[in-house]
Amino acid sequence: MSKQALTYVQGLRISDETTRQVFLLLAEHTRQTPWDEDPPLVLGLKLHDRDIPTHASRLGIAPEEFRRQLRLLKTTIPMDVLEHRAEGVWEIVYGPSYTSPAPPQPARRVAEPGAPAGPLEAFSMPGWDNYSTWGWEAGLGHLYAQIIHNNDDRDAEPRIWITPPRYVLRTVDELAAAIAEAIAPYYGKVPPPAAVIKMWLTK
């Protein structure tokens, strides 16, 4: 159980009691994160659909009402609720990164015409935001990323290096997908999806 997650959800002051109870139950099943932030900016869990009847019974509601509440959560609170019906899994990602205003970012350097980014951009994902960069290789026509964990020395070899010849990426969506795949082993059962990575690339 994550005390960080419980503290975050309790602080949202959700007015609808059923929604609040469902979200608190999700918080109880969120694992404590290893990152330094308290609460961390990104929290999440995977919920198996087969366990929903047990959770619903605990809250005194029908399983289908529990599922309905899950689908409604992201319309009530900024978060991601992904329903993978084929696998019978719900992937839920939430936290202060969705509900707190982003800090001001330095102005981007000028990109060449038509480039999806400047030559040097900040990767602002919590836990990786001290030294990581990404950008457009001017004249070469592709994006790159050097992702360094905050616990590493800034001069260390990047843990994740997205660059040719393995990667030849020309859109931010392609770059986000590549980083999401490479960063997944550091997050255990709930790696951040590409949509979250893209958010941190473009904030």
Side-chain angles (χ1 to χ4, degrees):
M1 181 173 73
S2 170
K3 291 181 180 177
Q4 300 164 326
L6 284 171
T7 299
Y8 168 72
V9 174
Q10 288 166 346
L12 292 176
R13 303 182 184 277
I14 300 167
S15 58
D16 184 86
E17 183 60 20
T18 303
T19 302
R20 190 178 77 86
Q21 289 298 328
V22 168
F23 205 176
L24 282 172
L25 186 144
L26 296 177
E28 288 177 11
H29 287 80
T30 300
R31 292 189 177 181
Q32 195 83 3
T33 92
W35 306 122
D36 297 334
E37 295 89 357
D38 189 16
L41 294 180
V42 179
L43 296 154
L45 72 154
K46 282 188 178 177
L47 184 69
H48 291 279
D49 196 75
R50 65 175 178 267
D51 296 328
I52 283 181
T54 301
H55 299 320
S57 175
R58 180 179 158 195
L59 299 182
I61 60 177
E64 196 47 50
E65 174 60 16
F66 192 99
R67 294 184 183 95
R68 189 181 77 85
Q69 288 290 334
L70 289 179
R71 295 182 187 112
L72 287 174
L73 265 176
K74 65 182 178 182
T75 66
T76 306
I77 301 141
M79 62 191 298
D80 284 319
V81 178
L82 308 174
E83 185 178 0
H84 304 289
R85 294 191 181 186
E87 296 85 4
V89 171
W90 299 73
E91 186 175 2
I92 300 163
V93 185
Y94 61 97
S97 64
Y98 289 82
T99 51
S100 301
Q105 297 293 319
R108 294 181 170 186
R109 299 184 186 182
V110 176
E112 63 181 284
L120 186 67
E121 306 281 355
F123 181 53
S124 57
M125 183 170 179
W128 308 84
D129 53 336
N130 285 353
Y131 318 118
S132 300
T133 60
W134 68 284
W136 180 256
E137 291 282 8
L140 300 179
H142 65 77
L143 291 161
Y144 76 91
Q146 295 180 349
I147 311 299
I148 303 170
H149 194 272
N150 288 356
N151 290 340
D152 296 342
D153 187 278
R154 70 178 306 156
D155 297 320
E157 182 77 10
R159 293 199 190 189
I160 298 169
W161 200 320
I162 308 291
T163 188
R166 182 175 179 186
Y167 301 95
V168 182
L169 309 173
R170 294 186 171 85
T171 70
V172 176
D173 286 321
E174 290 174 345
L175 181 63
I179 294 173
E181 181 180 2
I183 214 169
Y186 297 97
Y187 284 85
K189 292 184 177 180
V190 190
V196 170
I197 299 296
K198 183 179 179 181
M199 176 184 73
W200 293 118
L201 286 170
T202 57
K203 261 195 169 183

